[in-house]
Amino acid sequence: MTQSMLARPATATAPPPRPRRRSTDRAYLIMLVPALVLFTLFLVVPTAFGMFFSLTNYAGYGPWEFVGLGNYLAMLDDPAILQAYGFTFFFAVVTVIVVNVCALAIALGLNAKIKWRNGIRTVYFVPMVLSAIVVAYVFNYLFSITLPMLAENAGLTPLASSILASERWAWVAIVIVTAWQSIPGATIIYLAGLQAVPGEIYEAASLDGAGAWRRFRSITLPLVTGYVVINMILGFKGFLGAYEIVLALTAGGPGDATTTVAMRIFSGFSGGDYSYQMANSVVFFAITVAISLIQLRFLQRKGVSL
Amino acid sequence: MAEYRAAQAHTDAGAPAPTPDRASGRLRAAAALAVLAALLLATVVGCAGHGGGDERVTIRFMQNKREVIDYFDEVIARFERENPDIHVVQDNNEAGFVPSLVRGSPPDVTTRGWAFASADIAKKDVFEDLSDLQAARLIDPRVQALVDEWGRHEQGATVALPFSLTAAGVIYNKDLFEQHGVEVPTTWSEFVAACENFKAAGVTPIYGTYKEPWTVAQGVFDYATGGVTDITDFFSAFEAGGSNPGPGAATFANTFAAALPVMDYLRTSVQPNAPSRGYPEGNVAFANGEAAMYLQGPWALTELAKANPDVRVGTFPLPVTDNPDDRRVRVNVDMAVSIPKGAAHPREARRFVEFLFRGDVINAYNADNAAFSTLADAPPQTDERIAELDPYVDAGRYYQGANTYLSPSTQALGHVQSYALDGDGPALLATLDEEWQRIARRNDYREIN
C-alpha cells in the first residue's frame, strides 16, 4: 500500500472532471459497507463509549454517576500524567530522528553496488519479522546481565551497572531497541525511494565533478524528501503509542521515568481508575488528531498524498 | 484517499465493471453460504453445551494461584466423590472475573488474594454475605479482621473467608549462618552485627533485586515500616486526615521517619549489582549461596528449591527495634474464598465452600504449601523453612505490608524503587504523602466517597 502511495507522481494537475452518474456503482458499496460496518463497530462505538464514560466516575464495574469534567480537571493536577506525556513526546521525537538517520544510511548502503546485496538486505530486514515483545525481553537480558558482565570483565566499572536501572538513562535503551525494531520498515521505504531516482542524474553530476557528499545533499536528499516525510509521520504516530517494548524493558521504571501515555491509560483497568484514564485517552486522542492534521497539511504542501 | 483515487482512475480509464445483475447474484449466493455456515456452527456449539445425560450440577470454581492447580484438582476429585450430585470445574483466569460480573455470569466460587483491589470490587456489593456459614465460625477472628479491614459494601458482612495466610520475613541460608557462627538475630543491633560479620567475611549480607519494584516494596519498605508502628492504626488515622492533614498528623513523613535508618541500612547491605537484578535472578543467586539473607516471602521457597534442591533455609521476622518483643511478621491473605452475587448455583457453591474449610482440607493445603491455616484451632506449621514464624502467626503478631495499602493508581511501587536506587528516604516519604493527598483530591473532583 505504501508503495502505491509513494509511486504516485507529485504533480499538482487538477483531476479530470468526474462524469455524472445516476447512482453509485454497486461495486463501491460492496467494498465499502463491510469496512464501514467493522470500523464503526470496533472503533467508533468503543470510542464513543470511552468518551461517554470519561464524564462519569465509573470504575469499570458497579454503579456510577456523572461527574462532568471532574476527570479532566483532576488530570491537570496529576504529575504522573504530565510526566507520561512529557516522556512520550520526548521519546517519539528522539526515536523518529534516530530511526530515519539510520534507516537512510542503511538504505544508501544497501542500494549501492555491493557483493551479496540481496542476502545482506534480507539480513537487515530480520528485525522486522520478529515480535517486538520477544526482542525487548532478549534486550532486557542483554542490558541487565550480559553488558554489565562484559563491562566488569573489561575493567570498566562505571559501565558495570545496567542502563535499565538508571532513571536518567533508561530511555536510551528503549530508543535503541525501538530503533532496532523499526529501522527495517523505514529502510524499505527509503530503498523504494532511492530506486526511483534515475541513475543518469548521478552520472551527470559525476561528470560535473560532484563528490559523494555533494551528490547525496543535492540530488538524493531532495529527490527522496517525500519518503522522509512519510517515514517521519508514520514513525511519529507509531512511537507515540509506545507500549510493549517499554513494558518488556523497564515496565515504565525505574520509578516512573519511562512510563508512556499508553501505559498510563492501561493502568486504569486496575485501581478503579477506568473513567479517569478514559478522560486521559480522550485527551491523547485529541492531541494525536491535532498533530495528524498538521502533518497532513504539511504533506499536502510537499505534494505527497496519504 | 489514495485507494479511492486509484479506484476512480481505474473506472475512469474504462475498465469493464461487473454488470449489476451478475454481481448481486453472486452476493446473494455468498450471503446464503455465510448464513448456512453460521447455523451449522451454532448447532455444533449448542450440542457441545449439553453433556450427554449428566444430571450433576456444574459449578465453576475460579482459583487464583496457578502453582496449585494440580493440588486443587485433587481436592475437587475428593469433593466430587463425597458429593456425587455436584461437578466442579476449575477456572484459573482471574482476569476474566470482572468481565464475568459485567456479563452477569460470574463463577460460583472464587479465591482471590485479599487486599486493596479485591476490596475495591467487594465495595461494589458483588459478593454474598457468608457469615451464616459453618466455616465462618471456625476462622480465627484476627485473620478475618485482616480481610474486613479493607472495607466492604456494608459493615458486618463477611464478603470473603480467608483460606490461606502467608507470612514473610527474612529468608536465611542456614549453612552460611552456621559456617560464620552467626545466630538468628532477635534485635536490630544483633541484626546489624550479623550483617557486619558477613561483610567482614566477604559474604553479601542481603541479596537485593531492585530491578523489580515489588520486591523492594514487600521487603525493605514493608518490613521496616511494619516494625516501627502499627500499620492498621496508621492507615485508619491517615485516611481520616483526607486531602488536608494537619501538622503532626499521621503522615508518611511524620510516622515513618523512624523507619528510614532501618531502610537505609537494608538498602545498602546488598550486592553491588542489585539495581540490575530481578526476582528470578535473585532466587537462583540466593539458592546458590551468593548471599546470607533474602527479604522474600514463602512464595520464593519453591523457586529456591528448584534452583538448588540442597539449599537449607529458614525464615525469621526482621527485628526493627532493640526490644525482641516488637518483632512481627508481614502477612497477606493469599487466598480468600467468596461467592459472587448472581452465581448460577449458590446452594451448591456453599456446600463446596464448607468442604474447603473442613480441617482436613484447609489445614492440609496450608501445611503442604508453606502457608498458615486460617482456622482458629489449626495445628502448627512444621515446614522447617517457615516454622520459626509459627509462634508469631499463632499470637497474632503480624501486620499487612504498608505498600499494599496504597492505591494502585499512586505509582507507589515506582517511588519505592526510586528510593532503592537513589537512597533519598525523606523524598520517598514526602512523595507518598503528596500522592496520597492527590488521590484524595482527585476523588473529590470525581465525587467518589
Side-chain angles (χ1 to χ4, degrees):
Chain A
M1 199 167 72
T2 356
Q3 290 280 15
S4 75
M5 286 189 282
L6 294 165
R8 292 180 59 76
T11 49
T13 50
R18 288 170 61 178
R20 294 179 73 95
R21 282 172 197 276
R22 274 172 291 121
S23 64
T24 323
D25 196 320
R26 233 171 240 254
Y28 288 150
L29 280 181
I30 293 170
M31 286 187 270
L32 195 65
V33 169
L36 197 68
V37 168
L38 291 176
F39 185 80
T40 311
L41 198 65
F42 292 109
L43 277 166
V44 179
V45 172
T47 309
F49 264 110
M51 286 180 173
F52 172 78
F53 280 120
S54 74
L55 302 172
T56 70
N57 61 11
Y58 189 47
Y61 47 84
W64 50 269
E65 54 196 71
F66 279 103
V67 297
L69 294 176
N71 287 318
Y72 294 90
L73 294 175
M75 265 181 73
L76 296 175
D77 181 35
D78 189 343
I81 295 234
L82 302 179
Q83 189 280 338
Y85 276 93
F87 172 72
T88 307
F89 279 94
F90 167 76
F91 164 77
V93 168
V94 172
T95 314
V96 156
I97 294 170
V98 170
V99 165
N100 282 284
V101 169
C102 296
L104 189 53
I106 292 174
L108 285 171
L110 292 180
N111 199 41
K113 291 193 181 63
I114 48 173
K115 262 191 182 177
W116 305 302
R117 193 164 69 168
N118 285 339
I120 293 175
R121 278 185 184 179
T122 315
V123 170
Y124 270 91
F125 295 142
V126 166
M128 206 168 132
V129 295
L130 295 177
S131 147
I133 194 125
V134 174
V135 169
Y137 274 114
V138 172
F139 270 96
N140 187 335
Y141 188 84
L142 290 178
F143 283 127
S144 329
I145 313 276
T146 316
L147 283 182
M149 203 173 70
L150 288 177
E152 215 174 319
N153 289 346
L156 302 164
T157 332
L159 295 177
S161 73
S162 165
I163 188 174
L164 294 177
S166 157
E167 281 186 65
R168 258 184 86 192
W169 300 111
W171 63 271
V172 176
I174 296 170
V175 169
I176 291 174
V177 178
T178 310
W180 190 82
Q181 231 259 330
S182 324
I183 284 172
T187 307
I188 289 185
I189 296 182
Y190 281 130
L191 265 180
L194 290 174
Q195 281 163 5
V197 179
E200 301 88 61
I201 307 183
Y202 288 116
E203 278 171 33
S206 301
L207 290 176
D208 287 345
W213 170 244
R214 185 65 203 262
R215 270 177 302 188
F216 172 74
R217 206 170 51 97
S218 304
I219 299 176
T220 315
L221 210 49
L223 285 174
V224 296
T225 313
Y227 300 84
V228 175
V229 175
I230 290 268
N231 262 338
M232 294 272 203
I233 288 174
L234 292 180
F236 195 70
K237 194 190 120 292
F239 301 142
L240 279 184
Y243 184 80
E244 73 271 33
I245 290 181
V246 188
L247 190 74
L249 278 178
T250 64
D256 56 1
T258 58
T259 304
T260 65
V261 178
M263 295 174 79
R264 193 46 83 237
I265 290 172
F266 193 74
S267 75
F269 289 105
S270 61
D273 265 355
Y274 176 78
S275 57
Y276 181 60
Q277 294 300 349
M278 278 303 126
N280 186 8
S281 57
V282 169
V283 170
F284 195 44
F285 173 71
I287 291 176
T288 37
V289 166
I291 292 174
S292 304
L293 288 179
I294 295 168
Q295 288 180 329
L296 269 179
R297 284 205 59 120
F298 185 68
L299 264 181
Q300 279 160 353
R301 224 180 301 150
K302 285 274 168 201
V304 191
S305 79
L306 196 66
Chain B
M1 215 152 69
E3 291 90 332
Y4 171 73
R5 281 199 214 148
Q8 191 74 36
H10 186 64
T11 36
D12 286 350
T19 57
D21 284 348
R22 257 172 67 201
S24 73
R26 272 187 211 151
L27 186 67
R28 255 180 243 134
L33 258 175
V35 169
L36 198 69
L39 277 176
L40 263 173
L41 198 69
T43 330
V44 172
V45 172
C47 285
H50 309 283
D54 193 343
E55 294 301 312
R56 296 184 296 173
V57 172
T58 300
I59 62 173
R60 196 149 57 89
F61 173 47
M62 186 177 280
Q63 194 274 106
N64 67 318
K65 286 173 71 77
R66 290 190 177 271
E67 55 272 39
V68 288
I69 293 175
D70 292 341
Y71 194 95
F72 273 97
D73 276 340
E74 279 170 36
V75 171
I76 288 169
R78 260 177 75 194
F79 175 74
E80 288 179 344
R81 272 199 301 279
E82 294 175 26
N83 300 270
D85 57 325
I86 303 178
H87 173 52
V88 182
V89 177
Q90 193 179 174
D91 171 353
N92 306 100
N93 177 19
E94 200 183 8
F97 179 64
V98 169
S100 80
L101 288 178
V102 175
R103 282 197 309 269
S105 62
D108 297 278
V109 179
T110 64
T111 68
R112 303 179 60 88
W114 204 270
F116 198 99
S118 294
D120 229 24
I121 297 175
K123 283 177 193 160
K124 308 273 183 197
D125 192 13
V126 300
F127 294 117
E128 296 216 5
D129 183 3
L130 302 180
S131 50
D132 58 325
L133 286 186
Q134 184 76 28
R137 282 189 287 279
L138 304 175
I139 290 171
D140 183 342
R142 290 169 308 189
V143 183
Q144 185 67 52
L146 295 177
V147 168
D148 295 346
E149 74 165 284
W150 292 105
R152 47 217 146 138
H153 63 287
E154 65 176 84
Q155 281 300 315
T158 303
V159 289
L161 297 172
F163 180 79
S164 175
L165 190 71
T166 46
V170 181
I171 301 179
Y172 68 103
N173 184 319
K174 288 185 172 175
D175 289 330
L176 281 175
F177 268 61
E178 283 164 18
Q179 230 173 326
H180 295 89
V182 177
E183 294 287 318
V184 169
T186 59
T187 65
W188 175 244
S189 313
E190 284 177 29
F191 179 82
V192 172
C195 288
E196 295 305 322
N197 198 329
F198 283 120
K199 280 182 198 168
V203 175
T204 303
I206 301 170
Y207 201 90
T209 52
Y210 298 165
K211 187 177 166 192
E212 285 184 47
W214 72 268
T215 67
V216 191
Q218 92 84 33
V220 174
F221 183 73
D222 282 357
Y223 293 0
T225 51
V228 298
T229 192
D230 185 301
I231 297 291
T232 312
D233 290 350
F234 166 72
F235 277 98
S236 53
F238 190 45
E239 251 169 85
S243 57
N244 191 18
T251 62
F252 283 94
N254 291 342
T255 310
F256 291 131
L260 283 182
V262 174
M263 284 169 63
D264 289 340
Y265 186 79
L266 294 174
R267 185 187 86 82
T268 48
S269 301
V270 297
Q271 84 285 6
N273 63 9
S276 60
R277 289 297 180 271
Y279 178 61
E281 294 99 61
N283 291 334
V284 174
F286 178 74
N288 290 308
E290 285 185 34
M293 290 176 275
Y294 193 36
L295 308 184
Q296 272 297 355
W299 44 84
L301 295 173
T302 345
E303 305 301 316
L304 298 178
K306 260 190 240 165
N308 177 7
D310 300 326
V311 68
R312 285 174 56 232
V313 297
T315 309
F316 63 85
L318 179 74
V320 173
T321 70
D322 277 340
N323 179 359
D325 293 337
D326 282 349
R327 282 175 297 167
R328 276 174 295 180
V329 293
R330 178 195 189 277
V331 293
N332 61 296
V333 177
D334 198 35
M335 291 175 104
V337 178
S338 304
I339 299 182
K341 285 193 173 161
H345 306 289
R347 226 169 333 131
E348 287 77 8
R350 277 164 185 264
R351 277 167 61 196
F352 184 57
V353 173
E354 294 283 20
F355 172 81
L356 288 177
F357 283 88
R358 234 168 56 187
D360 58 326
V361 178
I362 180 174
N363 293 342
Y365 168 83
N366 287 293
D368 293 348
N369 290 286
F372 292 88
S373 170
T374 57
L375 298 188
D377 61 354
Q381 170 60 271
T382 53
D383 186 331
E384 67 150 351
R385 300 171 300 176
I386 55 167
E388 290 156 88
L389 300 179
D390 190 76
Y392 298 90
V393 174
D394 206 39
R397 284 163 62 184
Y398 44 64
Y399 57 88
Q400 301 192 81
N403 98 78
T404 59
Y405 286 78
L406 299 162
S407 158
S409 41
T410 54
Q411 304 305 308
L413 291 188
H415 300 314
V416 172
Q417 186 192 29
S418 294
Y419 161 75
L421 299 175
D422 67 22
D424 192 343
L428 168 69
L429 298 182
T431 313
L432 291 177
D433 277 326
E434 272 168 39
E435 280 260 26
W436 184 281
Q437 285 153 28
R438 196 174 302 118
I439 300 273
R441 277 204 302 276
R442 183 201 297 178
N443 287 345
D444 290 346
Y445 274 124
R446 300 169 61 214
E447 298 166 31
I448 292 172
N449 295 338

